Amino acid sequence: MTLKDRHGAFISLTDTPGELAVKDNICVQGFMCTASSKLLENYEPPYTATAVQKLQKQGLTVMGKTSCDEFACGSTGTHTSLANPRNPLDEKRVPGGSSSGSAIAVKDGLVRYAIGSDTGGSVRCPATFCQIVGYRPSYGQISRYGLMDMCMSFDTIGTLTRNVDDAIYLITGMSGKDDKDLTTMNSVDVKETPGLAGKRLVAFRQILESCDPGIREKFNEATEKAKLHVDVIDFPEIHKSIPTYYMIVFAEFASAMQRFDGKFFGKNRELLGQEVKRRILLGTFISQKENKDKWYTQAINARKWFQQKFEAMFAKYDFVINPTMPSPAPLVGEITDPITEYSMDLGTIFPSLMMGPSISLPYQGMGIQLTGKRFSDSALLYSARDLEGAL
Ligand code: GLN
């Protein structure tokens, strides 16, 4: 198989059969780690990410490293010059990003399991567009050691699988405290728990209204089919989650990218793609002393506001349910401006702000997403398994 074949899933690939594909922003010894960027085209990391090490101990073999949006920045999967990822269900369409290659590899049956990273939706978006299951664990559930930072305070390693059972298998294997990542201190073991019966579900009217009518219809059809009772409530401020998330992403991303100075680490920064450059410029601007209070500090305060709001909401409800993405997979080249691309993330960003786990299940071309409070991973996974059976 040549690398560019098979819908552009892989950046590098071994000849030996394996059952695990790893997004190319997660370090695995013996493989290059490019983050789908020309800047790191020849970078070979001297160590393996903790999450991958744990899966290897469990007996899984890494088959290859998968393409993604450069440094995990994007929602289409096509912001890279190292691969040409396409949606396996319709090659005219994007696979979704940023963990595009991992979703393609699973959908095409090249591997059974894939992992990616999810900062604001990057496993759930491609899982939706490629019609598989995407899981973002609670922040702190899985070690980020060996994952290249995009935005440290939101980044998680997540899974892309054909079904919820496979996600449970991977999450169980990867979870746990790691001395190399202090945010994992409170990681909770995943174990079988009661599922969806009796769980209280809520949806936000403003997210439903932001979706294409066809997506809304299928969402209603799915909840009826699964006999779910969903309270639909107003949450107009949810629209502010997008600028809140992106301000924090820009600032942390610009800071994380400083290490690639072209002297000690990485090649010439001119090789970076447009989206990455945009984020570095904006992040540098809003982090400057004279601008910081106006943009970055406000975003940090807004994140706190969202966290409090969700804490109160999770006293009343177990899970938030919504369509993962507001529209079907866009055509390649259809999205030409960043604001349109950022606004696609309305359904996937709020779990990042409040650090909770979130899963997307495929349903008739769309995604049904369930989100729980932080460290409710077991309840969420086993409820999602029930929902999967009912759809
Ligand atoms: N689309 C979002 C962004 O570009 C999410 C990316 C991600 O989760 N890595 O920031």
Side-chain angles (χ1 to χ4, degrees):
M1 190 192 313
T2 66
L3 295 187
K4 306 288 172 193
D5 280 352
R6 298 297 204 139
H7 305 122
F10 285 99
I11 300 266
S12 58
L13 198 59
T14 54
D15 296 333
T16 34
E19 48 293 280
L20 178 66
V22 177
K23 184 176 180 177
D24 210 18
N25 63 348
I26 300 171
C27 295
V28 182
Q29 234 175 348
F31 289 88
M32 297 292 169
C33 194
T34 69
S36 267
S37 180
K38 282 204 163 140
L39 192 82
L40 293 181
E41 215 171 346
N42 301 319
Y43 173 61
E44 196 179 334
Y47 63 104
T48 297
T50 303
V52 175
Q53 259 178 19
K54 287 184 154 205
L55 295 178
Q56 286 171 328
K57 273 203 194 113
Q58 214 163 277
L60 297 188
T61 306
V62 177
M63 176 156 152
K65 303 291 296 293
T66 55
S67 60
C68 55
D69 286 309
E70 187 174 15
F71 286 102
C73 295
S75 306
T76 61
T78 53
H79 297 288
T80 170
S81 43
L82 295 189
N84 193 17
R86 289 289 180 266
N87 194 314
L89 297 166
D90 176 354
E91 289 180 21
K92 292 191 296 303
R93 295 185 182 274
V94 302
S98 61
S99 311
S100 42
S102 289
I104 299 167
V106 170
K107 188 67 191 177
D108 272 339
L110 304 177
V111 283
R112 175 160 178 184
Y113 305 106
I115 61 173
S117 64
D118 189 309
T119 304
S122 276
V123 302
R124 292 161 289 150
C125 165
T128 299
F129 290 161
C130 294
Q131 290 290 281
I132 56 171
V133 173
Y135 188 73
R136 172 195 167 88
S138 296
Y139 185 81
Q141 178 69 17
I142 291 172
S143 171
R144 286 181 296 114
Y145 179 74
L147 165 68
M148 285 180 185
D149 296 330
M150 180 213 173
C151 174
M152 265 172 71
S153 63
F154 292 138
D155 294 338
T156 58
I157 287 183
T159 63
L160 298 106
T161 54
R162 286 188 302 228
N163 52 47
V164 179
D165 272 333
D166 285 355
I168 292 175
Y169 174 75
L170 290 180
I171 297 291
T172 310
M174 291 189 291
S175 291
K177 189 168 155 299
D178 178 13
D179 291 339
K180 299 198 188 87
D181 175 2
L182 294 181
T183 62
T184 57
M185 283 309 165
N186 299 317
S187 177
V188 179
D189 285 348
V190 174
K191 52 179 184 307
E192 185 149 8
T193 57
L196 201 53
K199 294 284 192 299
R200 301 153 302 170
L201 302 179
V202 66
F204 306 142
R205 194 181 321 279
Q206 284 71 18
I207 291 190
L208 298 179
E209 280 170 356
S210 76
C211 295
D212 284 4
I215 298 278
R216 241 180 356 243
E217 243 166 65
K218 281 187 196 153
F219 177 75
N220 291 336
E221 184 189 295
T223 54
E224 269 171 39
K225 190 168 176 205
K227 299 194 176 55
L228 302 179
H229 174 78
V230 181
D231 279 354
V232 179
I233 64 167
D234 277 309
F235 193 172
E237 299 90 348
I238 197 72
H239 286 294
K240 301 256 167 54
S241 63
I242 294 185
T244 302
Y245 165 86
Y246 275 98
M247 287 299 136
I248 297 171
V249 164
F250 294 158
E252 288 191 24
F253 182 63
S255 148
M257 290 300 285
Q258 278 177 13
R259 78 191 66 166
F260 304 116
D261 55 3
K263 291 194 200 89
F264 298 107
F265 206 9
K267 295 195 208 165
N268 188 334
R269 284 160 75 99
E270 275 311 307
L271 292 168
L272 290 169
Q274 203 187 22
E275 180 58 27
V276 166
K277 281 186 185 158
R278 176 175 14 253
R279 292 183 188 215
I280 293 175
L281 285 174
L282 287 169
T284 307
F285 178 78
I286 63 168
S287 309
Q288 276 164 357
K289 212 164 149 215
E290 57 272 37
N291 303 323
K292 205 169 158 212
D293 285 348
K294 201 163 156 211
W295 304 103
Y296 183 65
T297 314
Q298 258 212 65
I300 295 292
N301 290 338
R303 169 162 69 180
K304 268 191 217 127
W305 182 88
F306 275 109
Q307 287 174 347
Q308 283 159 4
K309 185 95 180 162
F310 275 99
E311 207 179 305
M313 202 172 306
F314 282 121
K316 269 182 85 180
Y317 297 103
D318 296 289
F319 304 130
V320 181
I321 187 167
N322 58 276
T324 313
M325 301 305 291
S327 62
L331 295 166
V332 175
E334 183 183 337
I335 297 183
T336 48
D337 70 297
I339 302 294
T340 306
E341 188 164 343
Y342 300 164
S343 65
M344 285 165 56
D345 299 336
L346 183 65
T348 56
I349 274 175
F350 69 86
S352 309
L353 294 178
M354 57 83 175
M355 301 175 144
S358 188
I359 188 166
S360 178
L361 304 178
Y363 178 74
Q364 307 224 349
M366 64 164 311
I368 307 278
Q369 181 182 273
L370 276 185
T371 303
K373 67 172 186 223
R374 193 174 182 196
F375 296 126
S376 67
D377 295 67
S378 298
L380 185 73
L381 282 163
Y382 283 93
S383 299
R385 195 169 71 157
D386 287 349
L387 181 56
E388 180 181 53
L391 286 177

